[in-house]
Amino acid sequence: IALYRGRNEEAIGAFERSLGVKRTLGDRAGMRSCLLNLGLALAKVGRLDEAERVLGESLRLAASLGQAAGRGWSLAALADVAVRRRDPAASSAWIAEARLHEAALPAAVRADLAILRAQVALLEDDGARALAALGELSAEQRAGDPLIDARALSIEAGAHLSILPVD
């Protein structure tokens, strides 16, 4: 709840405590989930090296557990870290790997991948490609999730500005 409400430091503490409990119990699936969420929270506060480290552990656990959805979520989160680092090549590689697991992912994560592709396009100064990536989002997805719509609108604005004629 703290993560969704933007109380990221509180979320980091809660996920670190939960991760400790899961490690003690040997709950590998629970550890994977805690690591993913911890990585998301760390990325939001700009602790990108730590985020990348815990997301890498989440990815390895998901692979060892045979969790296609867990792998896709972890890969999407790693792509987000790369976008935050302004590294379109790394983000594109993570996105491409995540798309291999797309069928197992919830709609919200598939929408995140479209948004990440649009962000990569903007990092590469390709507004038209950013708009095309956002075009993969359905009207229902955008109407049903205000956060997805707000993120898409922000990227659309940047994409339109990038393709305006320069005078």
Side-chain angles (χ1 to χ4, degrees):
I1 292 170
L3 181 63
Y4 291 121
R5 292 194 174 158
R7 299 190 317 255
N8 298 313
E9 292 296 340
E10 181 182 337
I12 289 168
F15 289 126
E16 287 174 337
R17 288 188 301 278
S18 295
L19 180 59
V21 170
K22 297 295 184 184
R23 284 189 198 282
T24 300
L25 295 173
D27 179 359
R28 294 175 62 217
M31 287 168 47
R32 203 266 327 136
S33 179
C34 286
L35 287 162
L36 171 66
N37 287 298
L38 176 58
L40 293 171
L42 289 166
K44 288 183 179 196
V45 298
R47 293 166 55 183
L48 301 179
D49 290 340
E50 292 172 80
E52 189 171 48
R53 181 183 53 76
V54 299
L55 291 169
E57 186 178 351
S58 174
L59 178 60
R60 290 186 298 278
L61 271 171
S64 73
L65 293 167
Q67 295 179 338
R71 288 181 75 184
W73 280 349
S74 298
L75 291 160
L78 284 162
D80 178 67
V81 169
V83 164
R84 290 173 189 271
R85 288 186 179 190
R86 306 191 61 74
D87 185 346
S91 188
S92 292
W94 292 123
I95 291 166
E97 192 173 345
R99 291 187 84 180
L100 297 175
H101 307 284
E102 208 163 21
L105 294 173
V109 180
R110 290 192 309 272
D112 279 343
L113 289 173
I115 289 170
L116 286 163
R117 285 192 305 278
Q119 288 175 305
V120 166
L122 278 184
L123 287 174
E124 296 175 333
D125 294 321
D126 191 338
R129 197 171 90 232
L131 292 171
L134 292 175
E136 296 175 23
L137 296 172
S138 70
E140 293 80 22
Q141 283 176 305
R142 290 184 68 164
D145 189 326
L147 183 56
I148 288 174
D149 190 47
R151 290 172 64 204
L153 283 170
S154 174
I155 295 166
E156 281 174 345
H160 285 295
L161 287 171
S162 76
I163 59 178
L164 287 174
V166 179
D167 291 326

